Amino acid sequence: MTGTVDLVGAAVRTESVGKSYGTEATRIDALAELTVEFGRGRFTAIMGPSGSGKSTLLHCLAGLDRPSTGRVLLGDVDVTALDDTTLTRLRRDKVGFVFQAFNLVPTLTALENITLPLDLAGRKPDQAWLDTVVSTLALGDRLTHRPSELSGGQQQRVACARALVSRPEVVFADEPTGNLDSRSSADILGFLHQSVREFGQTVVMVTHDPTAAAYADRVLFLADGRLRAELLDPTADAVLDQMKQLD
């Protein structure tokens, strides 16, 4: 099965991507000849049973791991052809990340954590855009606080702000609400949805939660490293029904 081509163009896409681990005798195929596109300005969720390859796919899309075969293209750039230095620069300048574990620097304030990618690149933030992101995430009164002084939901909002401050081409989110309570989860997912609707951001999210997936425009379902199904304009019930068919 090949993922639907989005009419507004692909922010990131794979061409016959495979990913294997181990030697020939013990080889595990995490991804198998996967071709899929992720449209610009769209929110896509990736789901599947444990071991389906969803996290491996996200890591290959984001340039955190290299596929064994095939290509990953971010816009028109073949990510798989880049050397490590160029790939690191591309991730810093073109990609945003939101992880389950927040990954904030404990000695930095919330504001310093938010602007860290730009600081590392030697760039100054667009103040108007920074103000918009901070305001949208309701972090204005938390900017001088360090991570230990913030709740889990607040820390994840800082992580979201950090992912968006450079206006990346794509934000990749790996179980971004996995460590949060239901209210904080709804806040984060609502913001990701809003960033697509209002800011034209592209978001690709791995999740195991049908409620989280329902915030997306589209859900891709993986099993055994292959794309098995696709759902547009999902509801939590429809996602759950599809997941039951994969188990």
Side-chain angles (χ1 to χ4, degrees):
M1 179 178 180
T2 301
T4 301
V5 176
D6 198 289
L7 296 178
V8 297
V12 60
R13 67 188 190 274
T14 69
E15 295 179 354
S16 300
V17 160
K19 180 65 180 180
S20 301
Y21 299 97
T23 63
E24 189 65 32
T26 61
R27 192 175 81 173
I28 296 174
D29 294 322
L31 296 175
E33 300 297 313
L34 191 62
T35 296
V36 63
E37 296 194 355
F38 299 86
R40 298 183 189 280
R42 302 293 300 278
F43 186 173
T44 303
I46 302 172
M47 301 192 74
S50 178
S52 62
K54 56 186 184 293
S55 291
T56 301
L57 173 58
L58 191 79
H59 292 168
C60 288
L61 290 171
L64 297 173
D65 200 358
R66 291 184 184 272
S68 304
T69 59
R71 301 197 304 165
V72 175
L73 293 102
L74 183 67
D76 296 325
V77 177
D78 183 353
V79 175
T80 49
L82 301 180
D83 60 47
D84 288 343
T85 300
T86 307
L87 180 58
T88 297
R89 188 179 304 118
L90 178 135
R91 285 199 304 258
R92 184 188 65 200
D93 295 341
K94 302 291 186 181
V95 174
F97 299 98
V98 184
F99 297 102
Q100 180 175 339
F102 314 148
N103 289 355
L104 302 180
V105 179
T107 57
L108 300 182
T109 66
L111 179 59
E112 290 167 341
N113 269 287
I114 291 168
T115 60
L116 184 59
L118 295 175
D119 295 338
L120 293 173
R123 294 161 50 197
K124 291 192 176 296
D126 177 329
Q127 191 60 49
W129 175 244
L130 175 61
D131 290 345
T132 296
V133 171
V134 167
S135 174
T136 302
L137 283 162
L139 288 169
D141 61 347
R142 293 290 184 269
L143 294 180
T144 60
H145 292 62
R146 287 182 168 77
S148 62
E149 301 170 310
L150 302 173
S151 68
Q154 290 166 346
Q155 290 184 58
Q156 192 62 299
R157 293 209 299 272
V158 171
C160 285
R162 181 184 58 193
L164 283 171
V165 71
S166 62
R167 290 194 167 183
E169 293 190 16
V170 188
V171 170
F172 295 101
D174 193 357
E175 299 280 7
T177 61
N179 286 333
L180 303 179
D181 59 42
S182 58
R183 180 173 178 178
S184 295
S185 295
D187 287 344
I188 296 303
L189 293 164
F191 172 72
L192 291 174
H193 182 85
Q194 183 180 3
S195 73
V196 172
R197 289 288 172 272
E198 296 187 13
F199 306 147
Q201 185 62 59
T202 302
V203 177
V204 180
M205 176 182 70
V206 162
T207 183
H208 68 281
D209 182 0
T211 300
Y215 281 81
D217 302 307
R218 169 192 184 217
V219 184
L220 302 181
F221 298 89
L222 269 61
D224 301 320
R226 300 180 186 276
L227 185 59
R228 299 298 189 185
E230 178 179 5
L231 190 62
L232 301 178
D233 299 321
T235 64
D237 287 342
V239 170
L240 184 59
D241 287 343
Q242 184 63 60
M243 285 295 294
K244 289 177 180 177
Q245 295 180 39
L246 295 178
D247 289 335

